[in-house]
Amino acid sequence: VSGAPHRPHRQSVARIAADVVARAATAEAVTRAALADIVNGESGPGRLNAVISYDLEAAVAAARAVDGRAGRGDHLPLAGVPVVVKDNICTSDLPTTCASRLLAGYISPYEATAVRRLRESGAIVVGKTNLDEFGMGSSTENSAHGPTRHPADRTRVPGGSSGGSAAAVAAGWVPAALGSETGGSVRQPAAFCGIVGLKPSYGRVSRYGLVAYASSLDQIGVFARSVADAARVLDVIAGPDPRDATTASRTPEPLAPCAAPGPLNGLVVGVPDEYFPDELDPGIRSACTDALDALRQLGAHVRAVSLPHTRYAVPAYYVIATAEAASNLSRFDGVRYGVRPAGTDDVYESTRSAGFGSEVKRRIMLGTYVLSAGYHEMYYGTAQRVRTLIVRDFDTLFRDGIHLLFTPTTPSPAFAIGEKTDDPYAMYLSDIFTVTANLAALPALSLPIGRSAGLPVGGQLLAPRWREDTIVRAAAGIEAELAL
Ligand code: GLN
């Protein structure tokens, strides 16, 4: 593949940008190649259903504009890099549906800060991607557009909720994509699809233009095929934004320079017991052993540790996330947003009954219940106190000299389409290793570390808040050492 002129979009992010800046390739040619893959991959019975909207002419026009800017010598760190964006992140050209019937055809009047920054740095948004409605799910099956399929096995899910973005990157259509995370929706599909998924510290990337699911947990994250590519894209979208008061006020140090693999002497890596239960898939367990050997090989010191409140994380997450969701989704009432069914008197009820899918309704009911008068202390208050205990578990380890934690990203590899749709609790448990980072506002990354029964396995790295640099350094080391 490498160097093949008709597949310029299969190169790394760095290589595409360097070639476009040096005029060795054009953004237009790269964009056309990516779109040809998308059009081809989304037609016929084997289609992935990953990219749910695109506009060939608009993308080519944007690419030509980038070629013009490259010719004038503008600073374009992502010159001509084709990307896809999860459909709960606002774009002003393509629709933003959140995979909900309620927002069918909705076009945002403004763009998300992350999307604006991608475009300013020369990236070309070539499509919007499928997701679980409003980000609620772990398989991309809860979508008004129908499920996305796993690129390596059409009978399986790609993970979720950012499954469309993960599948598009894993299929080789684009080198990078945006997703969003509330409880693992970037890391879990990255693990299932065999690519890198990076969830930044809460506050590193603006949430402006990300349709809110649970505001205290949500962050935009990045998919890519390598650690270096993910770091480069995150660098572009990170940093202060006057439009989101929860974004940190200082510009973070760039991460791309940390992605050059090197020795990890002095790095202390904790391996929490609670993330290696007896039921863990055996292929995942052995891939984790290999990744830990790679870290030792590079000079890191690996130590067994404990995060005792881990088992309360999933229940606490589903109380907090649904409470915030019930409140955030009240805006979809048929007046401010949403398709209003004709000829009805009760606008709220008819819009919401017809517009929301069943998982979203389940979450709104659960969230309304845990916040109800007389009960909110018992449910919501308790969940908030558990969240504090989980934060303290991490703080204690990081204070005791642990720089980084290593865990599996998921308890099992990609499951079959339909396998968990009748059992919401089984679906919720697929987030068991990822929700903690969102609850504690920590940065976390999933990278491919091997296979189990032929399916990709992800390893997860977690670090103290703002220490994405430590994660990127260690992940780049594992990636080079394992050379999968
Ligand atoms: N699967 C989790 C949920 O359904 C996480 C989703 C997400 O991170 N957006 O809430």
Side-chain angles (χ1 to χ4, degrees):
V1 170
S2 140
H6 59 294
R7 293 186 135 180
H9 62 303
R10 301 278 171 104
Q11 306 286 348
S12 71
V13 166
R15 173 73 190 276
I16 294 172
D19 283 356
V20 170
V21 165
R23 320 292 284 144
T26 64
E28 179 175 348
V30 182
T31 298
R32 285 190 188 277
L35 277 157
D37 266 7
I38 291 171
V39 171
N40 187 40
E42 291 298 5
S43 54
R47 67 192 262 268
L48 291 184
N49 200 27
V51 173
I52 54 178
S53 66
Y54 56 85
D55 179 342
L56 214 143
E57 275 167 34
V60 168
R64 286 195 182 133
V66 166
D67 284 324
R69 289 166 66 200
R72 289 192 296 275
D74 284 9
H75 173 66
L76 298 170
L78 299 181
V81 175
V83 295
V84 290
V85 172
K86 189 179 184 181
D87 209 30
N88 63 347
I89 300 174
C90 292
T91 46
S92 54
D93 48 359
L94 296 167
T96 300
T97 68
C98 299
S100 181
R101 278 191 304 274
L102 204 141
L103 287 176
Y106 172 72
I107 297 196
S108 168
Y110 62 90
E111 292 209 308
T113 297
V115 171
R116 187 171 50 75
R117 288 182 180 166
L118 285 178
R119 295 198 207 264
E120 283 167 3
S121 68
I124 312 297
V125 177
V126 293
K128 298 292 288 290
T129 58
N130 206 3
L131 65 151
D132 289 295
E133 188 176 0
F134 291 103
M136 299 178 185
S138 310
S139 66
T140 318
E141 290 170 291
N142 302 331
S143 165
H145 306 278
T148 296
R149 289 168 189 276
H150 193 293
D153 179 349
R154 301 287 193 276
T155 68
R156 292 181 188 272
V157 303
S161 63
S162 314
S165 285
V169 172
W173 301 348
V174 285
L178 294 189
S180 72
E181 274 248 1
T182 307
S185 282
V186 167
R187 286 164 287 155
Q188 187 254 27
F192 279 12
C193 291
I195 58 173
V196 174
L198 175 51
K199 175 238 176 253
S201 304
Y202 187 82
R204 193 178 187 104
V205 175
S206 170
R207 290 182 297 112
Y208 182 76
L210 166 65
V211 178
Y213 161 10
S215 312
S216 77
L217 301 161
D218 295 343
Q219 266 300 282
I220 289 175
V222 176
F223 292 101
R225 283 195 299 269
S226 70
V227 174
D229 279 359
R232 184 172 274 261
V233 175
L234 181 58
D235 283 343
V236 164
I237 62 172
D241 179 12
R243 294 189 166 109
D244 173 9
T246 63
T247 309
S249 54
R250 128 192 110 76
T251 305
E253 292 294 318
L255 297 169
C258 307
L264 299 173
N265 297 316
L267 187 79
V268 184
V269 180
V271 182
D273 249 10
E274 293 79 2
Y275 287 68
F276 292 83
D278 292 342
E279 319 81 76
L280 184 65
D281 174 270
I284 293 184
R285 190 184 299 277
S286 80
C288 287
T289 307
D290 295 344
L292 287 166
D293 284 344
L295 285 169
R296 285 192 198 93
Q297 205 62 41
L298 291 162
H301 182 76
V302 175
R303 204 201 282 173
V305 298
S306 172
L307 291 161
H309 295 95
T310 303
R311 65 196 171 108
Y312 305 113
V314 167
Y317 168 83
Y318 277 96
V319 171
I320 293 167
T322 56
E324 293 187 26
S327 162
N328 273 324
L329 268 58
S330 65
R331 75 193 63 175
F332 302 108
D333 56 9
V335 179
R336 286 166 291 183
Y337 294 95
V339 184
R340 185 188 306 192
T344 93
D345 292 335
D346 195 331
V347 171
Y348 291 4
E349 190 182 332
S350 53
T351 299
R352 292 166 72 84
S353 301
F356 288 138
S358 56
E359 182 61 25
V360 173
K361 287 176 184 165
R362 175 166 25 243
R363 305 241 182 153
I364 291 172
M365 287 194 292
L366 187 57
T368 305
Y369 180 73
V370 301
L371 291 177
S372 57
Y375 290 96
H376 65 88
E377 233 340 273
M378 187 157 88
Y379 295 111
Y380 186 68
T382 304
Q384 289 290 18
R385 284 189 288 279
V386 171
R387 184 177 191 172
T388 302
L389 293 173
I390 288 167
V391 170
R392 282 194 198 143
D393 277 359
F394 283 111
D395 283 351
T396 306
L397 293 184
F398 294 143
R399 245 198 335 264
D400 285 354
I402 301 288
H403 300 121
L404 193 72
L405 294 162
F406 178 86
T407 80
T409 309
T410 61
S412 70
F415 45 86
I417 289 181
E419 188 179 322
K420 297 188 199 270
T421 35
D422 294 333
D423 185 352
Y425 195 63
M427 188 74 89
Y428 296 174
L429 284 177
S430 61
D431 305 324
I432 190 158
F433 302 149
T434 50
V435 295
T436 45
N438 303 76
L439 288 166
L442 305 178
L445 174 146
S446 177
L447 83 163
I449 56 166
R451 292 191 169 259
S452 174
L455 294 165
V457 169
Q460 175 174 236
L461 298 170
L462 298 113
R465 199 166 177 200
W466 311 120
R467 294 316 302 265
E468 278 86 343
D469 57 334
T470 309
I471 290 180
V472 167
R473 227 172 251 121
I478 296 173
E479 187 179 56
E481 198 70 20
L482 294 178
L484 295 173

